[in-house]
Structure formats: structure tokens, C-alpha cells
Amino acid sequence: MKMKALRSQQWFGKKGKDGFIYRAWMKNQGIPDDEFRGKPVIGICNTWSELTPCNGHFRELAESVKRGVFEAGGYPVEFPVMSLGETLIKPTAMLYRNLMSMDVEESIRANPIDGVVLLVGCDKTTPASVMGACSVDLPTIAVSGGPMLTGHHRGKPIATSDVWRMSEAVRSGKMEEEELRSVEACMCRSDGHCAVMGTASTMACMVESLGLTLPENAAIPAADSRRKVLAQLSGRRIVEMVKEDLTPAKVLTREAFENSIILNAAIGGSTNFVLHLLAIAGRVGVELNLDDFDDLGSKIPLLVNLQPSGKYFMEDFYYAGGLPVVVKVLAEKLHQNVITVNGNSLVENAKTASCYNEDVIRTPASPFQEASGITVVRGNLCENGAIIKPSAATPELMQHRGKAVVFENIEEYHEKINDPELEVDASCILVLKNVGPKGYPGMPEVGNMAIPKKLLAEGVTDMVRISDGRMSGTAFGTVFLHVSPEAAAGGTLALVENGDEIEVDVAKKRLHLFVSDVELERRKSSWQAPDLGYNRGYVQLYIKHVEQAEKGVDLDFLKGKSTSVVLRDSH
């Protein structure tokens, strides 16, 4: 098979002034002339940053990728892009996912690159990188940074999901603030992202299930030397992918997205998966909607016993066999012939997988939980849909009717949630408005509202909660999220008042507000869109162009591919 002409030669293969400039200023790094002659140039898109602690080891990981690229006859060039640290960025990293994707897209297109290795880890760095790379559609392989080692505190294993439990324990007086402080180092004791099936681990599973990584990428701990081995092998493989012209568009078919939805249900993946998969599909032109997640995922049993839905941690998942085991046991439900970046199908890659701990990974015949996945609900409170993660919810609350306790915005919530005078009981439904894509802006992870302090004191551990925001993939509870249209866009959620009756019924996929159409019209006539307080820069652009949750919260002008062609030279 004749190799396609290298894109990088449009830079380095030029004669005259332009070729001189492109090569000469690269040579100031000590690069021999023959490195520019016919070798695939591989861009290593590095999301390393000291402000993104989950990705803090990526400089070292990049060196492993470089070794692989050199071994396969390519030339590696590492470049930085905007990095999103989930734990530090205000108001929310999600506000900047689309901006980072633009950085990735434009950095790849504008430079002499034939193929790309995406170094990804912390929640938004994975979808943002994939979205950007897909828009350009050069050969691309992803390498995740891996989860932290499991934390330990006073003889017990702990990880991020325990943050929510311990925080409630402090609020209820069962734990001292000093002890909570001491837990910090016990939990985050190694390189890597969250050690549970939170959003970061879900994203690592997502890119593997989509076929964008080598097998076993999802679960190898960051501190395990096999993470570096996978990075080096990925460096080798991307050179071959350039020769084969194997691009994301050839991997990311409709069938690949369906496989990913099925596998996400089986692992108990984060609700954020929905938003990110929809956004990626929009970049490659694959039709995907909320009903696909319901139709394909809600009937799949929970097979992986990991926090927050279960007991164990990502480290245990890897030692038990990792995602290939889940692929193998679900093979008959998956599309069999969907190609992945190593040239084999997802199912072929998993043929030799073995399960080494059946308490961590079960089979469909003996699941941890029957039909779990992510359930889509609809009704007059969410005309365009809302979602819930049943595996992380309380079964007794999946069908419930109660009175709304409304917080108009996050400030009112913080002001009132600990107020002993708050009119609320365990049967009530907490409603938080204006935390959606436009309303916050950026759709933060605040949907898993804390239980009112007065109810914590009574032993209440879960309540029905509804919002137009998101929740952390490490969180849990009977939480209805991504209500669309959001309150700031004039959805029915904006019209809910204290005392309104609301019914949730997950089995019937229903979320209903017991207020007449006439009354809703009356309320709407006096409703005014909130002043979001932004009149310049990226945030104003975001508010103007961001799409609603059921479309993936991408910017409307970023849908579709852009090509990798650049026709004009710089001098």
C-alpha cells in the first residue's frame, strides 16, 4: 500500500525562503537535517499543567510516547494546550471545555503535524482534546494518565466519593474539621486522576470503548509502570496509523458510539458521559440524541462494582482485568466489527481477557444490579429531557411525589441550606435553578445538593434533587440533572415555586410539575431572563452560542469537521 503524502512536508519539504524558515528555526533545537526528510511528524498534545494536578505526571508520560515514535521511524514534537484542572478552576472547568477544544483543533491544524497523540486525564481534558482532534481528523490516538492509587485512612480504603460522605459527616457533627483535613493527603497519595468511576475514569473508559486507545488504557494506575509501556506502544502505533491514514472519522462510526453507550452503562459511568459523547458525535457528524442513551444503556445491567455505585476502586478494576473483560462478557450485545486504532475490532481486542476477581467484575447472568445505565426522563418540567443515574440513587425514591423547596440560584442555596428555619422535610424535593450552561455560566457540578442540615441531624441521607446543572461523576444520590431547557433560557424549571407538587417516576421516565398550563403561562408572562453579568470575552461568546444539555453543550458554530488543510504560508 502506497503511503499517503505526508502533510508535514508541506512545511519541511518546501524549497526556497519558506522551506528555509520552517526548517532553520526548528534546527535551533539541535535537530539533524535528515529528521525532516520523509518522516511522519507526530504531535504530542500535552495537557500537563501544575494547575491540573491529575495530569501532573504527563511530562514523564510524554517521554515514553516519544521513545515509541522514534522507534517506529517518526519524529515527535510535544506541544502544550490549555489544560483544565477540575478541582481548581472557577466557576467550573465545563465553561472552558469548548475553548480548550478550539485550542486543540487550531494547534493541530496550524502546525506541521501528520498524526497526534492526545495525553489526557482530568475530566474535561479528555473530551476537549478528542473534540478538537476530531474536528481536524488527522490520525489520532489517546493515552490516558491513569487513576490514583487507592487512598487509605485509618485502615480503610478511601477515594473521591468519600469526600461527599465526609463532608456531610462534618456538617452533621459526626466528624471534626481537623480529621477531614488529615484525610486529604491520605486520599491523594499518588499521581493520577480520581480513583473511582468518576468522570475522569469514565472518560478513560469512553475513549477505549470508542476505539481511540490501545486495549487496557482505561484502568492502568498512573503509578504503575505499565502506564508508561502503554504510552510507548501508543507512540509506535501512531506512526503506523499515519501510514495507514487511519483517522478518527474511520473509527468513530455510529456503531462505535453505540458500543460506548452500552459499556458506560455496564461500568456505572458518570452522567457527564452523556454531554461529552454528544459533543464528540457532533464534531464527527454522527447523529446521536438522548433517546439513544436510554434505548441502549438503560437496559444494560451494572457489572462493575466500583464507587460511587458500588464498593471497589479503579486500581481493583485493573487488577480484575479492566475494561476488556467487560467488553468480552458483553460481546454479543456489541457491534462486532467496529475498528479501533490498533486495526482490530473492540471485541477482537478483548478475546483473551480474563476476569481475576468476580466481586469486582460480574457477568450479565449475575450482575450487581439489573438495568442501570442512565435513564432519560421527560415531562412538562423538562420538555427536552433530564437524566438520572439509577445505580447511584436510592431505590425507594425512584418513584416519589413531594413539595418543591426552591433555590433561585447558587447563592440562595448556600444562604439557606443550613438555615434551621428552612421549611423542608424529608419528603420535599430540592430544586436548584440557574446552574445550567448559560445560567451559571458553564453548568457546574452542583446538582447533588447537600441535604439540609436540619434533616441531616434527623438521619436523612438522601432526597430527590432536581436542577439544570451537573454532578460530579464521583457523587451519588437521587439526583435529576441536565434539565432542559434550563431556567436561564426560560424553561419550565424557571417557573417552579416553593410548595409546587412535583412527581418523579423513573420507571415511567416521567418528571412532572403539578401546575396547570394556564398558571404556567401566567408565570411565564411575568418571567424575565436573568442578567448574567457578562458583556465581553469568551464567556459572553459562550453564553451567546452554547447549546442546551440534550445537544452536548457545545458551541453551535463548532459542530462538524473543519479539515486539516492550510493553504497559505506564513511569510
Side-chain angles (χ1 to χ4, degrees):
M1 182 177 67
K2 186 176 179 180
M3 181 175 162
K4 182 179 177 181
L6 291 172
R7 180 176 179 270
S8 58
Q9 288 304 296
Q10 297 169 22
W11 282 259
F12 300 134
K14 275 185 173 288
K15 296 180 179 180
K17 168 179 64 68
D18 289 322
F20 178 97
I21 291 171
Y22 292 137
R23 291 186 297 271
W25 267 264
M26 283 290 284
K27 286 181 177 180
N28 79 349
Q29 300 175 81
I31 301 170
D33 191 71
D34 63 350
E35 295 286 12
F36 300 108
R37 294 179 190 159
K39 290 185 177 182
V41 176
I42 304 301
I44 302 173
C45 181
N46 200 340
T47 56
W48 171 88
S49 169
E50 289 183 342
L51 292 171
T52 307
C54 300
N55 299 8
H57 57 302
F58 279 17
R59 282 174 164 173
E60 189 175 4
L61 205 59
E63 293 303 313
S64 295
V65 175
K66 289 177 184 178
R67 282 197 295 273
V69 172
F70 279 125
E71 288 168 353
Y75 187 78
V77 287
E78 184 181 352
F79 65 95
V81 291
M82 182 180 191
S83 186
L84 303 179
E86 195 70 25
T87 55
L88 298 180
I89 284 181
K90 291 184 179 184
T92 171
M94 185 64 175
L95 176 61
Y96 303 105
R97 182 200 66 178
N98 301 336
L99 179 60
M100 180 184 160
S101 79
M102 294 168 71
D103 186 357
V104 172
E105 176 181 347
E106 302 302 334
S107 294
I108 293 171
R109 182 192 300 104
N111 285 292
I113 291 170
D114 299 301
V116 187
V117 179
L118 305 175
L119 295 187
V120 294
C122 196
D123 296 18
K124 307 303 178 296
T125 62
T126 300
S129 298
V130 172
M131 289 159 66
C134 285
S135 293
V136 187
D137 201 34
L138 291 177
T140 300
I141 193 169
V143 177
S144 299
M148 298 178 191
L149 297 176
T150 306
H152 287 272
H153 177 248
R154 296 186 175 179
K156 293 182 179 180
I158 60 168
T160 320
S161 294
D162 293 295
V163 172
W164 313 108
R165 297 184 181 92
M166 292 177 181
S167 174
E168 295 293 68
V170 170
R171 291 179 64 238
S172 65
K174 295 177 181 177
M175 178 184 278
E176 295 294 327
E177 185 71 38
E178 288 294 320
E179 183 180 352
L180 183 66
R181 184 71 175 263
S182 72
V183 174
E184 294 169 10
C186 302
M187 187 183 77
C188 299
R189 68 185 187 94
S190 81
D191 289 331
H193 58 247
C194 293
V196 300
M197 191 54 77
T199 301
S201 293
T202 299
M203 293 295 97
C205 290
M206 178 189 74
V207 286
E208 183 173 338
S209 65
L210 284 171
L212 291 173
T213 75
L214 295 181
E216 298 190 341
N217 168 79
I220 304 172
D224 194 307
S225 61
R226 286 166 287 191
R227 177 60 63 184
K228 293 179 183 176
V229 172
L230 183 130
Q232 186 164 338
L233 294 176
S234 298
R236 292 179 188 173
R237 178 58 192 157
I238 189 61
V239 176
E240 297 305 312
M241 289 174 64
V242 170
K243 295 175 182 178
E244 298 164 9
D245 193 30
L246 181 53
T247 66
K250 297 172 183 176
V251 174
L252 297 178
T253 60
R254 165 77 189 192
E255 290 76 17
F257 283 95
E258 291 183 358
N259 283 350
S260 190
I261 291 171
I262 290 167
L263 291 167
N264 185 71
I267 63 174
S270 166
T271 51
N272 290 302
F273 169 83
V274 177
L275 300 173
H276 300 318
L277 201 71
L278 286 168
I280 294 168
R283 296 297 183 97
V284 295
V286 170
E287 290 294 327
L288 205 65
N289 58 51
L290 277 183
D291 291 335
D292 293 317
F293 293 85
D294 207 4
D295 296 341
L296 294 166
S298 63
K299 303 176 185 68
I300 299 297
L302 179 65
L303 303 183
V304 177
N305 186 14
L306 264 60
Q307 286 193 19
S309 297
K311 172 183 175 183
Y312 292 100
F313 305 88
M314 285 299 293
E315 192 177 351
D316 303 304
F317 184 42
Y318 177 59
Y319 301 148
L323 192 65
V325 174
V326 185
V327 172
K328 185 176 183 178
V329 299
L330 282 176
E332 64 180 28
K333 294 184 181 295
L334 300 172
H335 295 286
Q336 302 285 310
N337 299 314
V338 181
I339 194 171
T340 71
V341 290
N342 72 352
N344 300 323
S345 75
L346 196 67
V347 173
E348 287 173 336
N349 285 335
K351 276 186 177 178
T352 60
S354 297
C355 180
Y356 302 108
N357 188 337
E358 293 183 357
D359 198 35
V360 176
I361 307 174
R362 292 270 182 90
T363 65
S366 179
F368 289 104
Q369 192 178 118
E370 293 297 340
S372 57
I374 290 168
T375 299
V376 178
V377 295
R378 298 184 189 274
N380 68 342
L381 190 51
C382 53
E383 301 97 313
N384 296 336
I387 64 171
I388 183 172
K389 182 178 176 181
S391 63
T394 301
E396 294 77 19
L397 291 174
M398 301 283 268
Q399 199 287 322
H400 181 77
R401 181 166 173 166
K403 292 183 177 181
V405 176
V406 177
F407 306 100
E408 292 293 333
N409 51 48
I410 195 67
E411 287 75 24
E412 184 178 17
Y413 161 75
H414 286 308
E415 179 186 339
K416 293 182 176 179
I417 195 65
N418 292 326
D419 187 348
E421 301 302 316
L422 181 66
E423 293 186 12
V424 63
D425 60 41
S427 69
C428 290
I429 294 176
L430 305 184
V431 176
L432 178 58
K433 304 179 185 179
N434 293 302
V435 292
K438 295 178 185 291
Y440 202 71
M443 203 180 183
E445 294 180 336
V446 295
N448 56 313
M449 292 167 267
I451 304 299
K453 190 172 183 179
K454 62 189 289 185
L455 298 184
L456 274 179
E458 297 172 9
V460 176
T461 58
D462 195 11
M463 295 176 69
V464 175
R465 288 157 275 181
I466 300 171
S467 81
D468 46 13
R470 301 179 298 119
M471 76 173 180
S472 168
T474 66
F476 46 85
T478 311
V479 185
F480 293 83
L481 304 156
H482 308 185
V483 168
S484 178
E486 63 175 301
T492 304
L493 185 68
L495 311 178
V496 181
E497 297 180 357
N498 280 312
D500 286 348
E501 291 274 335
I502 298 174
E503 183 180 51
V504 301
D505 193 326
V506 177
K508 293 181 179 178
K509 300 179 180 179
R510 184 168 183 257
L511 186 56
H512 185 75
L513 175 67
F514 286 93
V515 175
S516 71
D517 292 343
V518 172
E519 173 61 14
L520 287 176
E521 280 300 317
R522 185 194 68 77
R523 293 182 188 180
K524 194 160 191 176
S525 66
S526 60
W527 177 81
Q528 290 185 329
D531 179 2
L532 301 175
Y534 295 92
N535 57 14
R536 67 171 300 277
Y538 169 73
V539 179
Q540 183 192 42
L541 181 75
Y542 176 93
I543 292 169
K544 183 177 179 180
H545 290 280
V546 71
E547 296 185 322
Q548 290 292 288
E550 80 279 2
K551 294 185 177 180
V553 197
D554 202 356
L555 302 183
D556 54 18
F557 59 81
L558 292 176
K559 289 293 184 69
K561 287 187 284 188
S562 56
T563 85
S564 63
V565 177
V566 183
L567 296 175
R568 293 174 173 172
D569 289 300
S570 57
H571 291 83

